[in-house]
Amino acid sequence: MAAVPKEKDNEVHVTFEDQQQINKFARHNAKLQDLQDELDTKKKDLQNLEDAADELVILDEEETVPYMVGEIFVSAKPEEAGQLLEAAKERVQKEIKTLDTECGEHKGILSDLKVKLYAKFGNNINLENEEES
């Protein structure tokens, strides 16, 4: 009678340190998603500011345009509104740059954690976002 080969134990045991790394991955991944959503919003804001600046070019210098400050609109000459738009564009561009830097930092951490976790767990763990699959 031939001996039946034992099945290999595919179960990987998760240590406390492994769980800590998985939790760290989840926290950084959630933060990255939040930052990317905020980045998308800022890019749309920048595009809106650029569109508004383009529209100012076609206005007569004597007209006034409404410019939103906080929750109210104030009247401004096209030249003044253009200066305000430029300042707002610069501010949003700086915010976008900051968000890009933060996203890069989180991506680096996630990449390192992926290497470590996939090395230990192989196909027993899925660390890919649904959009990436």
Side-chain angles (χ1 to χ4, degrees):
M1 174 187 237
V4 178
K6 289 186 176 182
E7 289 186 28
K8 186 178 176 185
D9 185 14
N10 285 337
E11 213 174 290
V12 178
H13 302 287
V14 180
T15 65
F16 178 75
E17 290 80 20
D18 295 335
Q19 188 61 52
Q20 293 299 96
Q21 286 184 337
I22 292 168
N23 292 345
K24 182 177 179 181
F25 182 90
R27 284 191 309 272
H28 282 280
N29 193 46
K31 181 66 175 171
L32 178 62
Q33 294 302 317
D34 291 343
L35 289 171
Q36 287 176 333
D37 290 344
E38 187 176 349
L39 187 59
D40 290 342
T41 300
K42 294 291 180 189
K43 286 180 179 179
K44 288 176 187 173
D45 290 346
L46 181 60
Q47 183 61 48
N48 289 340
L49 290 168
E50 289 172 351
D51 291 346
D54 291 343
E55 291 295 320
L56 282 179
V57 175
I58 62 174
L59 292 177
D60 182 19
E61 288 297 319
E62 298 304 313
E63 292 182 60
T64 60
V65 293
Y67 188 84
M68 189 172 193
V69 177
E71 294 183 11
I72 63 167
F73 285 94
V74 295
S75 293
K77 296 281 185 191
E79 184 179 326
E80 295 168 335
Q83 292 170 350
L84 293 170
L85 286 172
E86 284 303 314
K89 284 180 5 183
E90 288 175 14
R91 180 181 41 79
V92 171
Q93 288 169 337
K94 286 179 185 176
E95 291 171 358
I96 288 173
K97 186 176 178 181
T98 301
L99 288 170
D100 275 334
T101 302
E102 287 182 49
C103 284
E105 291 169 2
H106 286 284
K107 285 179 182 177
I109 292 169
L110 289 172
S111 178
D112 291 342
L113 287 170
K114 275 184 182 182
V115 169
K116 291 175 185 176
L117 292 170
Y118 276 131
K120 175 148 186 178
F121 297 107
N123 292 335
N124 293 323
I125 191 168
N126 181 14
L127 302 173
E128 303 302 321
N129 288 333
E130 292 174 5
E131 298 89 33
E132 293 177 0
S133 299

